[in-house]
Structures are given as C-alpha cells and as structure tokens.
Amino acid sequence: MAPISKECDYLVIGGGSGGLASARRASGMHGAKTIAVEDKRLGGTCVNVGCVPKKVTWNAAAIREAMHDSKAYGFSFEETAPFDWTTFKHKRDAYVKRLNGIYERNLGNDKVEYLAGRASFVSKHEVEVKLHDGTTQTIRAKKVLIAVGGHPNIPQNIPGAEYGITSDGFFELEKQPKKVALVGAGYIAVELAGMFNALGTETHLFIRHDKFLRSFDPLIQDKVVAEYERQGIHIHRNSTQTKVEKGDKEGWVKLHYKDSTTGGSESVMDLDCLLWAIGRSPETEDLGLDKAGVQTSGSKGFITADDYQNTNVDNVYALGDVCGKVELTPVAIAAGRKLSDRLFGGPAHANAHLDYSNVPSVVFAHPEVGSIGLTEPDARKQYGDANVKVYSTNFTAMYYALHDPEDKGPTAYKIVCAGPDEKVVGLHILGQGSAEMLQGFGVAIKMGATKKDFDNCVAIHPTSAEELVCHSLPPPPSPLPSQSILSITLPV
C-alpha cells in the first residue's frame, strides 16, 4: 500500500458545480478539512462545455434573430460581413477561462485544498490521485463525495461514428459548418439545432420517432417541432444511421441513413459536421468503484444514491449527473450544499436533503421552453382523468404585432391542475421570455399554489406572462389551438 500522503474530513472527487458547491459549504461554512480533486477544468460540464458557453451561443443566435425581426419594425441595414464564428468562439473561450480562474480562487477563499489530477478508489476510505505533475498522492478521508459528472456518448454500433463529434466538440469548432446533421431528440440536440439554424448553417435533425423532446408535455413537443420546420430546419423522422465515411472534400463526411421519406432504402448525405447528441454516461470508467464497494445500476452504470445522496457504502456519497437522476446543474449545486449541511452542520441540519419534486427546467430552443411538474399525461395517470383540469392557450405575443404572418413565432402555455382545489401540478410554457418567466412561477408552484392563487394575482399588462393569471374561465371542451382564452391577446 502506498504511504498515506494526506488526511481530511471530506474528499470531493469532481470539480463540477455540484462537487465544488459541496466542498465550499463543508469547508467555508462548517469548517471541515476538505480536499477537492478534478482532472479537467474546474467548473465541470456546465461551465466548460455546457450551460454557460451554450447560453452565450444562444445569445448570439437570438441577436441574429432580432436582426431579422427588426425589419418588421422599420429598420433597414446591410450586413457588411457574415457572422464571425471564429472571433466569437475565441471570445467565448476567454470568458470560460476567466470563470475557471474564479472557481479556483473561490476554493482558496473557502480554504478547500485543490488537487489537479485523476482520482480512483483504493478502499472506501482511501483514494489514489495521479496528479498532473506526474506524482501520485493517496488521500485518506472520513467521508467521500463522488461528483464526477458524465460525458456524451458516441454510438458503438455504427461504423465510422468516430468521424462525428459530440456536444463537447461543438465548443471546439473553429469555423462555422456549412451543413450539419445532429442525431438525437433530447434538449441538447434541439438546442444546438436551433443555434446552428439561426446563425445560418443548413441544419438537419435526425430523430428516432416522429417528435423530439418526448419527455416533455405534448404541447411542447407539437409546437417546437412545428416551429423548427417553419424556421427551415430539416427534421428526419423515424431515422436510423447505418454508416459514416470520410467525404470527398477535406473535413466532410458521408452519412448513410434511412428515414420516413426514403421508403426503406438507404440515402447518403454529405456534411461538414456530424454531431451525436444521443445521451450521456457517468464518468466512472476508471474510478475504482468496485474497490470501495459502491453499487451502480442500469446499462450505463449510474451510481445508486437515495434522496439524501447516500450510496450503499456508509461513508461514500454521490450526486449530480453521475447518479442520472435529475441532470441539471442547479440540482447538483443544491444537493451538494444540503449534503454538506447534513454531514457537517450539526443537529440543526440532521435531516437536510434536496427535495427532487417540482424542479423547473428550461430548454434554450428557438423559442424557449419552460417546464415544471407533471405533464398532462402523467397527471392524468397519477390523479385520474376526473381529477385533472387543464388550462391551455395559444397566441401571438405582442412582439410580433408588426410582423408578416409567416414570420410570427408561437407562444403557448398550459396549466395542469389536480384535485378539488385545483392545485397546480404542472406548468408548461413556450415562447419568448419563458426561461426568466418560469423561475418566478416555479416558486409559486413549489409552495403549492392553486389555480385560484394564480387568478388572484393581478396581471402585468401588456406581457405574455399575464396569460398565466388570466385564465379565469373554465377550459372549453375542445379548445381551438389558435385561440387564446384571454380576449385581449393578439390573434394569430
């Protein structure tokens, strides 16, 4: 056995948002001797190849859309040059690098020792860390948190799949692709497709079924699919990919595929970018979980943890994407802080844990999507049809008042209520401003708001959000998809 190099109260493996939040809370607030280990850049997926650079890119796409929309308001201008992807990418990289530095300084401010290296278990209390300087240290810890996150998948059964990139590779692209194919139907594929298309890349989205975002409410699925097609994104339904080959031109590839339009025969598409967005797996391949006795589940090997982040090993905990439960950065941060409170905060925090119900989430598609709580089908399954009432509306936001009909984007909201008091158990919104809007409504729903509570809130006019507090009429038996319940809303 290697000599023990260091000892600590709390060892955090993984320097992403959840791990760092837990480490800083344990050390900075509760005084636990804490060590954090990270093999890559601090901040994890979110800061480096996820939420942060994605939102920056979404902002660029939104600006491009606003430039197009400005013509409806009487503006006229000529672009002297196309979008400068390379300059934008380098500025985005510099912003992320600054954040990496801030994260490291924050660890120091909270007296967390940071080790840059790769960790693997020796036993449930001992972890070996291969540092980037080539040396090795062994850490003996009273408690260990696994917060290593995950990585995007590349298909293993498609010859030539390695010629494609993943969402990680998206942020490494130095030049804007002319023609891109994205394979996947989750929020990552949908978000990146919207950005590519808005910035001027010919965009093809390959999905296995006839709709994407299939875990979301049907209203969201139907509206976003229709809007993406209106915007000119090519959606390949019921598709399969059989082979990828190098293309005839440098940097291009040939994608062999079948979809609902090919009649069972194979087609070939030439692309200068193929992006796989087919899911993620936990970053546990060489973590040595077997040596610590930590159990995993499912084909991908997610770590099994309860709502208190306990694994089956009494001193080992896990949270975030490595558990595959709710793979969202704010969830990992909140769970990490609650865990440190429980472990080191004394009797006052003995029951601290994250409540995983009613977690709001947003898809930065074009337009934005927001969702919290149960979908309508899930609510009917859980409460029964007779106990569920749904209020929904489709309308044109005032932003599009001066647009030509073919240029108007959709807005659609749905409130799902259950029980005699019409408790709001689900909210699903689509349209401009949905991301910011959902945060406030999320607080109300988390507090147990009812439909009456919504109705008792005075509307802010003119806004799209007022629709959510003005559904005072009972829903019609068969609401028209293009008609708003609120009469003052502009017609589609």
Side-chain angles (χ1 to χ4, degrees):
M1 180 184 296
I4 303 300
S5 302
K6 295 180 184 292
E7 293 187 356
C8 64
D9 298 316
Y10 195 39
L11 173 62
V12 176
I13 304 175
S17 299
L20 294 180
S22 189
R24 292 181 61 196
R25 177 65 64 93
S27 178
M29 183 172 290
H30 300 304
K33 184 178 180 182
T34 304
I35 297 175
V37 180
E38 172 56 49
D39 186 38
K40 301 175 184 176
R41 293 178 290 173
L42 285 174
T45 296
C46 176
V47 170
N48 296 292
V49 287
C51 326
V52 171
K54 172 197 72 180
K55 184 63 182 295
V56 173
T57 310
W58 184 90
N59 288 339
I63 291 171
R64 182 66 186 85
E65 290 176 322
M67 292 167 63
H68 177 268
D69 291 338
S70 69
K71 298 174 184 177
Y73 280 84
F75 293 92
S76 179
F77 57 88
E78 293 184 5
E79 292 186 61
T80 58
F83 172 65
D84 189 343
W85 180 288
T86 303
T87 296
F88 166 76
K89 189 261 186 190
H90 291 167
K91 292 184 71 174
R92 186 183 63 200
D93 288 350
Y95 174 61
V96 170
K97 188 174 182 179
R98 288 199 300 273
L99 294 180
N100 296 146
I102 291 171
Y103 271 76
E104 185 168 358
R105 288 194 294 276
N106 285 341
L107 286 177
N109 293 339
D110 283 322
K111 296 180 172 55
V112 176
E113 183 177 355
Y114 163 50
L115 299 179
R118 190 80 172 179
S120 60
F121 280 95
V122 176
S123 68
K124 72 175 190 176
H125 283 289
E126 292 181 14
V127 171
E128 182 181 83
V129 181
K130 295 181 179 178
L131 299 174
H132 290 173
D133 64 7
T135 62
T136 299
Q137 291 187 8
T138 300
I139 314 297
R140 183 171 180 83
K142 296 176 183 177
K143 302 181 187 299
V144 181
L145 170 63
I146 303 171
V148 294
H151 56 74
N153 298 327
I154 290 181
Q156 300 300 308
N157 59 345
I158 299 177
E162 67 274 10
Y163 294 129
I165 63 173
T166 64
S167 56
D168 288 1
F170 170 81
F171 298 106
E172 298 175 1
L173 291 172
E174 288 286 340
K175 296 181 179 179
Q176 181 174 358
K178 294 180 173 62
K179 185 176 181 181
V180 63
L182 302 100
V183 181
Y187 75 92
I188 294 176
V190 171
E191 288 179 336
L192 296 183
M195 296 174 205
F196 271 125
N197 182 69
L199 293 172
T201 294
E202 181 182 331
T203 304
H204 295 255
L205 181 57
F206 288 80
I207 59 179
R208 287 187 298 170
H209 302 279
D210 60 346
K211 298 177 185 178
F212 48 67
L213 298 178
R214 295 176 66 242
S215 64
F216 286 76
D217 190 87
L219 174 132
I220 299 299
Q221 298 178 42
D222 295 341
K223 290 294 181 182
V224 181
V225 168
E227 176 62 7
Y228 268 31
E229 289 186 311
R230 184 192 73 82
Q231 292 178 10
I233 294 175
H234 306 272
I235 299 176
H236 299 260
R237 294 174 169 83
N238 304 306
S239 69
T240 57
Q241 298 75 45
T242 56
K243 183 171 60 175
V244 184
E245 300 175 306
K246 286 187 177 181
D248 299 327
K249 293 185 288 186
E250 180 68 26
W252 285 62
V253 299
K254 292 181 179 290
L255 175 64
H256 296 250
Y257 69 95
K258 298 177 183 178
D259 65 19
S260 58
T261 68
T262 62
S265 59
E266 186 174 274
S267 292
V268 181
M269 182 179 294
D270 291 306
L271 307 158
D272 60 339
C273 183
L274 168 63
L275 193 151
W276 304 108
I278 57 172
R280 298 175 63 84
S281 295
E283 187 85 11
T284 57
E285 289 84 356
D286 58 352
L287 193 54
L289 294 178
D290 55 329
K291 295 180 181 178
V294 176
Q295 292 180 353
T296 61
S297 62
S299 60
K300 293 183 178 180
F302 289 108
I303 294 178
T304 304
D306 63 17
D307 286 352
Y308 289 80
Q309 315 310 143
N310 298 311
T311 70
N312 64 298
V313 179
D314 58 8
N315 71 300
V316 179
Y317 312 88
L319 58 80
D321 291 4
V322 75
C323 299
K325 193 170 186 178
V326 182
E327 298 180 48
L328 296 170
T329 295
V331 170
I333 292 173
R337 289 172 177 163
K338 293 284 189 182
L339 175 62
S340 289
D341 287 342
R342 180 169 68 86
L343 296 181
F344 305 106
H349 299 283
N351 195 46
H353 68 286
L354 176 63
D355 176 5
Y356 280 88
S357 66
N358 285 328
V359 173
S361 64
V362 165
V363 182
F364 285 100
H366 296 261
E368 301 166 52
V369 168
S371 179
I372 182 173
L374 299 175
T375 65
E376 180 181 345
D378 287 342
R380 294 189 182 280
K381 182 178 180 180
Q382 180 170 327
Y383 293 100
D385 289 343
N387 297 311
V388 172
K389 184 177 285 188
V390 174
Y391 297 83
S392 63
T393 181
N394 301 269
F395 61 97
T396 300
M398 190 175 287
Y399 176 84
Y400 296 106
L402 307 183
H403 286 60
D404 293 332
E406 63 272 15
D407 291 330
K408 295 183 178 183
T411 306
Y413 300 153
K414 177 185 286 189
I415 304 173
V416 182
C417 304
D421 60 348
E422 293 193 351
K423 180 180 179 180
V424 179
V425 297
L427 177 65
H428 311 281
I429 59 178
L430 174 151
Q432 284 194 328
S434 291
E436 301 290 349
M437 193 187 307
L438 184 66
Q439 187 69 81
F441 281 100
V443 173
I445 293 172
K446 192 72 174 177
M447 294 175 67
T450 64
K451 180 64 172 58
K452 185 177 180 180
D453 293 325
F454 274 46
D455 294 342
N456 284 337
C457 182
V458 175
I460 302 171
H461 181 70
T463 65
S464 293
E466 67 182 303
E467 283 280 319
L468 291 171
V469 299
C470 289
H471 289 176
S472 56
L473 299 175
S478 300
L480 297 175
S482 60
Q483 183 177 354
S484 169
I485 296 172
L486 183 60
S487 60
I488 63 172
T489 305
L490 296 172
V492 175

